Amino acid sequence: VVGSEGMLGVVVEVTVRLLPLPRRVELLLAAFDNVRRCADAVGALIASGIVPAGLEMMDAAAIRAAEEFAKCGYPLDAQALLLCEVDGLDADVARELEQARDLLGRAGATSVRVARDAEERRRMWSGRKSAFPAVGRLAPDYYCMDGTIPRRHLAGVLERIDALSREHGLAVANVFHAGDGNLHPLILFDAGRGDELERAERFGADILEACVAVGGTVTGEHGVGVEKLGPMCSQFGTAELEAFHALKRAFDPAGLLNPGKAVPTLSRCADYGAMRVHGGKAQPGQGRADALPLRRLWRNARARRQAAARTPAAFLNGCATMPIDDADRTEELAERVRRATATRTALRIVGGDTKRFYGRAVDAVPLELSAHTGVLDYDPAELVVRVRAGTPLRQLEALLGARGQRLSFEPPGFGDAATIGGVVAAGLSGPARVARGPVRDYVLGARLLTGDGRVLRFGGEVMKNVAGYDVSRLLAGSLGILGVILDVSLKVLPVAVGSRTLRQAVDARKAIDRLAAATQGGAPVTASHWHAGVLHVRLEGSAPALDAVAALVGGDTVEADSAARFWSDVREQRLDHFNAAHGPLWRLHVPAVAPLAALEHCTSFAFEWNGLQRWVAGLDAASAHAIARAAGGHAACFRGASAGDEVFAPLPPAMLELHRNVKHAFDPAGILNPGRLYAAL
């Protein structure tokens, strides 16, 4: 639903997660005499392991407009500037601030200054926040674009925008979210003068085409609406657009909600393709028949350019020992699926098969993906890795670790054979989920083989993308019922500079209360686990920062190697209370304040995620679902379900029907992992 622009339903209520305010916030301003050096500094900053809370870039035109409008103290002689905000614990902020100052100086900044106090920080931000109205004083009209690109292409795309400005004879000011690669070129024009409006629209389309050409998207946050329906035709092919329309029908079969928005029709794409070929003017007889092949030629040319720019071996050399399989088995897999569809043969998707216990049993012919392996793209400065689904999780983690990065949601593998496709399909997160979010928050893009043999690509390799429906994240936790994940792009983050585990004896309710107080007090709790009267808590940050907050949690420090083994055992469920020998193992996701009394008598009881995830043995299915539902949550039988039990929380009839519709949009014959999630799916 997020980013769907009202096409799928009317949102009547929303629940959001809240975070405590950081203890310390600092803002620095770096000025550059060259736009390329400023853009390159963004990549260098991210590659160093600093992930700022905010990282904004402005060019000379935007700087001058903002300074005249807001009197924010910007250097008027700068050709570009960066605003970089870091927040967190005092010691960590001080360390990152010094590191950022040094790095930006070495990257070519002509000056770097830190806001003296909260008032100066507010003033510095006021210029950026008022940049749009400020630029509005430079011309009667302006046209704001919203493309997102991989950060490594910032300098090149900005130079391309400058060239397009000269080509179209219209000025442009650039102000944008550099940390996300989310560009906001503001095209200046006068709609009352000649053909300037038409030139501005063509200029905007050219900018979005340039973003797509380097692996970006036509919109990072503003949405498509009706304005970007044309450029959507460059980002997505016919098969993807058909899938979007099928998904809309699954939610809105009568087509009543916001018709004509967000997703173009195929005929509109044909017209757009013809217009782009002929310089923005429709030609007689130019329609779908010849425009779509031309668009495919553009897409193929773009794919070749992208492939040439990606040399995984260059990224992998010296990083880690990891075999790379250059053979793409997509067509082989697609042909097997097409044959199965023709004969109505059910398929069980198999990677490492380490999570076969999870979900309902599937009696079907195996479709093996364990040979479909290899890293397709990994540039550590981008914080993104694209990898084939059969790639072993352990090997990918070794590769990332060699570059000081990680999968921050700590996915459990449950065995050395676990694959990255299984990680996404199962949607399981480890101990760090409480602080860093679930698997789906890190899925940026995916290539999917549907149940009727189509190969579709959704999302991409950029941090922000609201073009089309967010199908990539829909795959997280789908257990393979929607399609075969062929490859996936994941966001990665730097490894923490330090870690400390504290242990104390405390009852369950007091443990939850202490964890709540610690997190609200700003303690960087990245894992918690309670069982049998013993609470373990993991904090991450620099040693001085952790010294300052350890008292909020309390307890004794666990030796580093022992702590690492303990959290690995929690993640992989090697501790005894996870053993299904105690009876079916139930996982309850409930509010942290939910009552404990109904669970404490169970054969085994433990909790993680500050009390949000609770593990119990000794409950029957009806009791487990009833307890979770009464607490405002849901339950799943993680291991040892009895035949006929509802493994996952029962769905109301209307919701089950919606699930059926969505599955049918991607797997119309119902051959992929049938019944794995629910019997009716």
Side-chain angles (χ1 to χ4, degrees):
V1 171
V2 175
S4 66
E5 302 193 38
M7 299 282 286
L8 304 181
V10 181
V11 177
V12 295
E13 182 179 305
V14 64
T15 303
V16 298
R17 180 186 183 193
L18 302 179
L19 297 175
L21 291 172
R23 286 193 164 198
R24 180 179 174 185
V25 180
E26 297 286 357
L27 177 66
L28 62 79
L29 184 154
F32 292 80
D33 60 8
N34 178 280
V35 171
R36 173 171 280 276
R37 275 195 288 272
C38 186
D40 290 343
V42 172
L45 196 67
I46 301 299
S48 73
I50 298 173
V51 182
L55 187 60
E56 300 291 305
M57 183 172 168
M58 301 169 68
D59 68 5
I63 292 168
R64 287 191 288 272
E67 178 60 25
E68 181 180 340
F69 182 81
K71 305 296 188 290
C72 44
Y74 289 169
L76 292 177
D77 58 343
Q79 292 302 302
L81 66 75
L82 283 179
L83 290 171
C84 175
E85 185 168 276
V86 293
D87 63 20
L89 300 176
D90 289 346
D92 286 341
V93 170
R95 174 182 54 81
E96 289 194 352
L97 198 62
E98 189 57 36
Q99 187 179 352
R101 291 184 69 159
D102 178 64
L103 187 149
L104 292 170
R106 287 186 283 110
T110 55
S111 66
V112 180
R113 78 174 194 266
V114 178
R116 293 186 299 273
D117 51 31
E119 174 55 29
E120 185 173 17
R121 187 168 69 247
R122 183 202 63 77
R123 204 162 54 247
M124 284 183 179
W125 273 125
S126 71
R128 167 60 185 91
K129 292 177 180 179
S130 62
F132 283 20
V135 168
R137 302 171 73 185
L138 302 182
D141 302 285
Y142 72 78
Y143 185 25
C144 175
M145 305 314 298
D146 173 44
T148 302
I149 60 174
R151 283 182 294 261
R152 63 178 175 263
H153 294 299
L154 272 176
V157 172
L158 288 173
E159 289 172 353
R160 173 62 178 153
I161 291 172
D162 184 57
L164 288 170
S165 174
R166 294 191 297 273
E167 179 181 325
H168 290 282
L170 296 172
V172 63
N174 288 288
V175 51
F176 56 92
H177 315 300
D180 298 323
N182 188 188
L183 303 174
H184 292 314
L186 305 174
I187 300 169
L188 308 179
F189 69 101
D190 183 349
R193 180 184 299 167
D195 65 346
E196 287 198 10
L197 173 58
E198 290 75 17
R199 279 191 283 142
E201 290 177 336
R202 290 197 296 272
F203 187 179
D206 285 344
I207 289 174
L208 297 182
E209 295 277 357
C211 291
V212 172
V214 297
T217 176
V218 299
T219 175
E221 60 187 13
H222 294 180
V224 175
V226 296
E227 170 195 358
K228 299 186 183 74
L229 283 173
M232 279 280 287
C233 301
S234 295
Q235 184 168 338
F236 295 102
T238 301
E240 286 84 6
L241 294 174
E242 288 175 338
F244 286 154
H245 288 295
L247 190 56
K248 177 171 173 60
R249 288 193 296 272
F251 283 83
D252 178 22
L256 301 178
L257 302 173
N258 283 355
K261 278 188 65 178
V263 180
T265 62
L266 298 183
S267 60
R268 184 176 186 122
C269 285
D271 292 340
Y272 179 77
M275 290 177 68
R276 298 299 294 166
V277 168
H278 293 282
K281 296 182 179 179
Q283 299 293 309
Q286 286 293 143
R288 178 177 177 178
D290 55 355
L292 283 179
L294 282 170
R295 184 161 55 80
R296 281 197 291 269
L297 287 175
W298 305 334
R299 289 174 62 85
N300 291 341
R302 182 171 68 250
R304 286 194 296 271
R305 289 195 299 273
Q306 291 172 340
R310 292 171 179 154
T311 52
F315 295 130
L316 300 176
N317 282 342
C319 297
T321 301
M322 179 175 178
I324 301 302
D325 181 0
D326 289 331
D328 188 337
R329 292 174 171 78
T330 296
E331 185 50 39
E332 172 190 334
L333 292 167
E335 181 55 32
R336 285 202 58 192
V337 170
R338 285 192 286 267
R339 288 200 303 268
T341 299
T343 58
R344 290 298 192 267
T345 301
L347 296 175
R348 182 173 74 89
I349 304 168
V350 180
D353 217 18
T354 63
K355 302 178 186 68
R356 189 171 185 174
F357 64 85
Y358 184 58
R360 304 177 77 257
V362 176
D363 182 16
V365 176
L367 180 68
E368 294 276 355
L369 270 82
S370 57
H372 189 66
T373 66
V375 171
L376 299 171
D377 193 3
Y378 175 43
D379 180 351
E382 287 295 320
L383 300 182
V384 178
V385 62
R386 185 162 71 96
V387 60
R388 290 191 183 122
T391 304
L393 171 63
R394 294 289 177 87
Q395 291 186 4
L396 178 60
E397 289 186 317
L399 171 69
L400 297 174
R403 299 305 298 264
Q405 296 181 341
R406 62 184 174 182
L407 297 174
S408 286
F409 51 92
E410 288 186 309
F414 304 125
D416 289 343
T419 64
I420 199 64
V423 163
V424 175
L428 300 176
S429 303
R433 190 241 191 264
V434 66
R436 305 192 197 113
V439 177
R440 67 172 178 271
D441 288 357
Y442 294 84
V443 176
L444 301 177
R447 200 161 55 107
L448 183 71
L449 173 58
T450 64
D452 51 3
R454 294 171 296 161
V455 177
L456 310 178
R457 183 180 295 281
F458 300 106
E461 296 171 61
V462 292
M463 295 296 168
K464 294 167 73 174
N465 183 357
V466 292
Y469 303 126
D470 200 354
V471 175
S472 302
R473 289 187 174 93
L474 183 65
L475 303 178
S478 65
L479 289 180
I481 72 166
L482 301 181
V484 182
I485 299 172
L486 295 172
D487 57 67
V488 63
S489 298
L490 295 168
K491 178 181 177 181
V492 300
L493 287 174
V495 172
V497 296
S499 174
R500 184 177 303 174
T501 295
L502 302 170
R503 178 177 55 203
Q504 60 182 295
V506 63
D507 68 44
R509 175 45 59 192
K510 286 183 179 177
I512 290 174
D513 291 344
R514 289 182 186 180
L515 287 163
T519 53
Q520 290 169 17
V525 175
T526 62
S528 61
H529 178 274
W530 180 94
H531 174 66
V534 178
L535 173 66
H536 287 78
V537 181
R538 185 179 66 196
L539 307 174
E540 289 186 341
S542 64
L546 298 184
D547 288 342
V549 297
L552 288 172
V553 177
D556 300 321
T557 299
V558 179
E559 186 269 330
D561 288 343
S562 296
R565 285 193 299 272
F566 175 79
W567 293 115
S568 176
D569 288 344
V570 171
R571 169 182 170 173
E572 300 299 326
Q573 296 193 340
R574 290 187 286 258
L575 301 177
D576 181 65
H577 54 270
F578 290 117
N579 194 325
H582 298 297
L585 179 66
W586 285 88
R587 177 191 66 195
L588 279 65
H589 286 174
V590 296
V593 296
L596 296 163
L599 305 177
E600 291 177 307
H601 71 279
C602 294
T603 306
S604 182
F605 169 57
F607 71 71
E608 295 182 81
W609 303 355
N610 301 357
L612 296 168
Q613 177 166 263
R614 301 179 184 183
W615 300 96
V616 294
L619 288 177
D620 60 78
S623 297
H625 289 304
I627 291 170
R629 189 166 53 247
H634 57 86
C637 190
F638 203 77
R639 281 193 179 89
S642 301
D645 278 353
E646 287 281 9
V647 174
F648 299 104
L651 294 173
M655 187 65 77
L656 184 59
E657 181 64 21
L658 179 57
H659 277 61
R660 284 198 195 99
N661 293 344
V662 172
K663 178 171 173 63
H664 186 266
F666 293 96
D667 181 20
I671 65 165
L672 298 177
N673 279 8
R676 180 77 186 266
L677 194 61
Y678 288 97
L681 302 177

